[in-house]
Amino acid sequence: MTFRVLVATHRNLEELVKQNAFRRDLFHRIYVFPLTLPALNERKEDFPELVAHFARQVAAQNGWKEKIFATEAIDELRKYGWPGNVRELRNVVNGSFCWLRTEM
């Protein structure tokens, strides 16, 4: 059986290895192809596309009518700090389908 493991973290694993807070051998096993992405709060220009993507995804997965978010709603979303990153944004979009019955 062949498989790959994708590991994601917001922590600096290299620094944790230096501090003996993360196993060096495990670090070298998972640090094969590092991909660093900026946090959601550092790329707020992506919000319209991300919100539209999640709205389409949530609607399709549940058989619901897609909701269109108003520019003002997206602007409000940009103001939040998003400590939960993209997962949190998806959950908010998902929740909006339950909370609101009208276009947003």
Side-chain angles (χ1 to χ4, degrees), residues 26-64:
L26 182 56
F27 172 77
H28 289 294
R29 289 175 192 254
I30 64 173
Y31 202 73
V32 175
F33 186 78
L35 180 63
T36 305
L37 298 173
L40 182 58
N41 61 13
E42 296 173 15
R43 51 193 174 109
K44 294 190 176 185
E45 68 279 357
D46 294 341
F47 270 63
E49 292 84 11
L50 287 170
V51 169
H53 168 74
F54 291 140
R56 282 190 304 273
Q57 190 178 57
V58 169
Q61 288 173 346
N62 295 288
W64 297 335

Side-chain angles (χ1 to χ4, degrees), residues 9-24 27:
T9 183
H10 66 283
R11 298 177 186 262
N12 184 332
L13 294 182
E14 289 178 287
E15 190 59 38
L16 292 174
V17 168
K18 290 177 188 174
Q19 298 169 5
N20 291 322
F22 192 84
R23 288 179 27 198
R24 183 176 300 279
F27 172 77

